[in-house]
Amino acid sequence: MVAPELIKAAQMGDRDALITLLREIENHVYRTAYYILGNEQDALDAAQEALIRIYTKINSYEEKAQFKTWVQRIVTNLCIDKFRRTKPTISIEQHDLSFTDHKTVEDEVMSTYIAQDIREAIDKLPEHHRSVVVLRYLQDFSYNEIAESLDLPINTVKSYLFRARQQLQGILKDYNSKQRSDAVRG
């Protein structure tokens, strides 16, 4: 993710290195916040807060954990705190569709609906299940990295993922049933 020399330079007080470091991780930080919070404005706020915390706490980073894991823990904890403080809101912004030559308009529309259904299903998960799903499937973290990021035993991470997958299957089955009944009525 980030060169160890850049981290060391930032910890030694090199302001340019610290700014470069923050720029390299800002998209990752925002993406994680968005996946957890599901709202662009809340994600921007959380990402900014996380970057400030990283800026002020860079000297507390120890090489015991990977830098990516340390950053992820900060972002995830801030998002969980933010989620607890406020009730989640659903963004009603329109999403741009980019049509490619090899997909039909119908394929693109269906992909958008499926992605929206999955996003809504993830949003319905309890926060501890949502966090492990986001880290595993959207951020591609290993079980060990998730355990380190969330300060959980690895078996708890596996258990949360197992339960979250079961919950997602049930939620998505409900969406499919609802869509079929709406299609019959429509």
Side-chain angles (χ1 to χ4, degrees):
M1 181 175 170
V2 176
E5 304 81 39
L6 186 60
I7 297 167
K8 286 280 187 212
Q11 287 180 312
M12 300 291 282
D14 183 340
R15 183 172 158 75
D16 291 335
L18 184 55
I19 290 170
T20 301
L21 175 73
L22 293 173
R23 284 194 178 130
E24 283 190 24
I25 64 172
E26 70 183 333
N27 285 336
H28 173 76
V29 167
Y30 169 76
R31 206 170 43 248
T32 300
Y34 183 79
Y35 286 140
I36 293 172
L37 297 171
N39 174 292
E40 184 177 357
Q41 192 57 50
D42 289 343
L44 286 169
D45 291 345
Q48 182 177 15
E49 194 174 335
L51 290 170
I52 291 169
R53 185 154 306 163
I54 292 163
Y55 178 87
T56 59
K57 303 280 187 187
I58 189 70
N59 289 329
S60 69
Y61 167 69
E62 298 173 4
E63 291 182 29
K64 290 184 228 172
Q66 292 182 15
F67 184 72
K68 155 178 140 172
T69 304
W70 182 75
V71 168
Q72 194 66 45
R73 179 178 283 180
I74 290 171
V75 176
T76 303
N77 288 340
L78 282 170
C79 289
I80 289 171
D81 289 346
K82 188 170 197 54
F83 189 78
R84 284 180 183 151
R85 285 192 306 259
T86 61
K87 295 191 187 236
T89 58
I90 297 173
S91 175
I92 56 173
E93 298 172 16
Q94 289 186 320
H95 297 283
D96 294 331
L97 294 177
S98 59
F99 299 104
T100 58
D101 293 336
H102 64 282
K103 286 190 175 182
T104 66
V105 172
E106 291 84 7
D107 290 341
E108 288 290 337
V109 171
M110 284 310 297
S111 293
T112 301
Y113 282 126
I114 291 167
Q116 183 179 349
D117 287 349
I118 292 170
R119 177 74 229 158
E120 289 174 7
I122 291 171
D123 286 344
K124 290 183 178 185
L125 293 174
E127 67 186 52
H128 56 284
H129 289 171
R130 183 179 326 113
S131 295
V132 295
V133 165
V134 166
L135 294 176
R136 179 72 182 132
Y137 299 109
L138 302 177
Q139 295 294 336
D140 203 28
F141 270 45
S142 70
Y143 292 133
N144 288 332
E145 290 171 330
I146 296 169
E148 277 186 49
S149 292
L150 299 178
D151 198 24
L152 295 171
I154 196 159
N155 286 336
T156 302
V157 169
K158 290 177 181 179
S159 173
Y160 284 178
L161 279 170
F162 177 78
R163 289 188 187 121
R165 283 191 299 263
Q166 287 181 319
Q167 291 172 326
L168 286 171
Q169 285 175 347
I171 294 167
L172 292 171
K173 186 188 291 185
D174 291 344
Y175 279 130
N176 288 337
S177 298
K178 182 179 179 273
Q179 287 176 341
R180 277 190 231 114
S181 67
D182 289 346
V184 170
R185 279 188 245 137

